[in-house]
Amino acid sequence: SQQGEEDPQALSIQEGENATMNCSYKTSINNLQWYRQNSGRGLVHLILIRSNEREKHSGRLRVTLDTSKKSSSLLITASRAADTASYFCATEPNTGNQFYFGTGTSLTVIP
Amino acid sequence: GAGVSQSPSNKVTEKGKDVELRCDPISGHTALYWYRQSLGQGLEFLIYFQGNSAPDKSGLPSDRFSAERTGGSVSTLTIQRTQQEDSAVYLCASSFVMGPTEAFFGQGTRLTVV
């Protein structure tokens, strides 16, 4: 399977704390993306990092990519209750344009 | 519409019946993807359409599943002789193909086979 894996599977933190989620994947990629899903419905794109980038920021989000380890991390700083959701990484292999999603991390931010 | 539209939003069907799920991608997006998500699980890739190229059907779980995309736009995912294990949320996404790009998702169809 080309599916990636996130860890932890579930994470519960207090509002204001930082949340870190990790993603590991198996194949060489063109880029890696992080998505957020609320209530088991549609996913919303958060951030994209290309294979030649090592770190990217967007607002309270910070993404790192280590292609030698085939891993990425998503850091959400100063978390809010509204950040409660499931977070998925998606990889675009360099053999095609499909997106393969990881298993997801369920984040709960306690007010 | 401005986003990816899926219909129906919910579908309850009896085991053994056929179902059709529809996806209207964003206008101009040449790539279209179908995924399946079981309760509390990740997204399972099903099928990928890109322009006029032959679709990548490598994720379809059995020959009961098929999909088509007419005129490079609307797509229909058909599940024949539904089984209880087919119960899941079926998500459609579309994107541009040129360059690194994000996928835009519909809200999904929740299929329940009873």
Side-chain angles (χ1 to χ4, degrees), chain A residues 1-91:
Chain A
S1 169
Q2 294 177 309
Q3 187 177 39
E5 290 187 3
E6 282 95 335
D7 80 271
Q9 288 188 333
L11 178 62
S12 183
I13 59 174
Q14 295 289 329
E15 197 165 34
E17 294 180 337
N18 296 339
T20 300
M21 290 159 268
N22 302 295
C23 166
S24 59
Y25 57 91
K26 298 178 182 178
T27 64
S28 296
I29 61 172
N30 288 330
N31 64 73
L32 183 144
Q33 305 181 37
W34 284 89
Y35 287 80
R36 166 193 167 124
Q37 183 182 41
N38 287 85
S39 305
R41 288 294 189 155
L43 281 72
V44 174
H45 179 263
L46 294 176
I47 193 166
L48 180 152
I49 185 166
R50 302 181 189 220
S51 60
N52 62 353
E53 297 177 313
R54 293 294 167 259
E55 188 171 313
K56 202 161 183 180
H57 297 254
S58 177
R60 295 184 294 113
L61 305 180
R62 173 178 166 253
V63 169
T64 63
L65 179 64
D66 187 335
T67 53
S68 66
K69 295 181 179 177
K70 291 186 169 59
S71 68
S72 173
S73 68
L74 172 67
L75 168 68
I76 304 174
T77 60
S79 64
R80 305 167 183 168
D83 294 329
T84 295
S86 292
Y87 292 82
F88 294 87
C89 68
T91 53

Side-chain angles (χ1 to χ4, degrees), chain A residues 3 30-31 33 35 37 39-45 48 50 88 92 96-104, chain B residues 9-10 33 35 37 41-43 45 48 56 58 89 91 95 97 100-103 105-110:
Chain A
Q3 187 177 39
N30 288 330
N31 64 73
Q33 305 181 37
Y35 287 80
Q37 183 182 41
S39 305
R41 288 294 189 155
L43 281 72
V44 174
H45 179 263
L48 180 152
R50 302 181 189 220
F88 294 87
E92 180 187 334
N97 294 105
Q98 302 91 325
F99 296 99
Y100 292 97
F101 284 81
T103 51
Chain B
S9 56
N10 289 282
Y33 316 78
Y35 295 89
Q37 186 176 32
Q41 301 298 309
L43 275 72
F45 169 76
Y48 163 66
D56 177 354
S58 61
V89 175
L91 291 159
S95 72
V97 172
T101 183
E102 65 180 278
F105 279 82
Q107 289 303 298
T109 293
R110 185 179 300 279

Side-chain angles (χ1 to χ4, degrees), chain B residues 31-94:
Chain B
L32 186 146
Y33 316 78
W34 282 99
Y35 295 89
R36 176 170 73 173
Q37 186 176 32
S38 300
L39 186 63
Q41 301 298 309
L43 275 72
E44 176 188 4
F45 169 76
L46 297 178
I47 189 168
Y48 163 66
F49 295 91
Q50 202 293 98
N52 296 321
S53 302
D56 177 354
K57 304 179 181 180
S58 61
L60 295 178
S62 78
D63 59 8
R64 295 187 295 105
F65 288 73
S66 63
E68 61 177 23
R69 188 178 184 191
T70 54
S73 180
V74 172
S75 177
T76 303
L77 176 69
T78 301
I79 308 173
Q80 295 178 311
R81 306 181 301 282
T82 52
Q83 304 294 313
Q84 287 186 327
E85 60 262 29
D86 298 335
S87 295
V89 175
Y90 289 81
L91 291 159
C92 174
S94 69

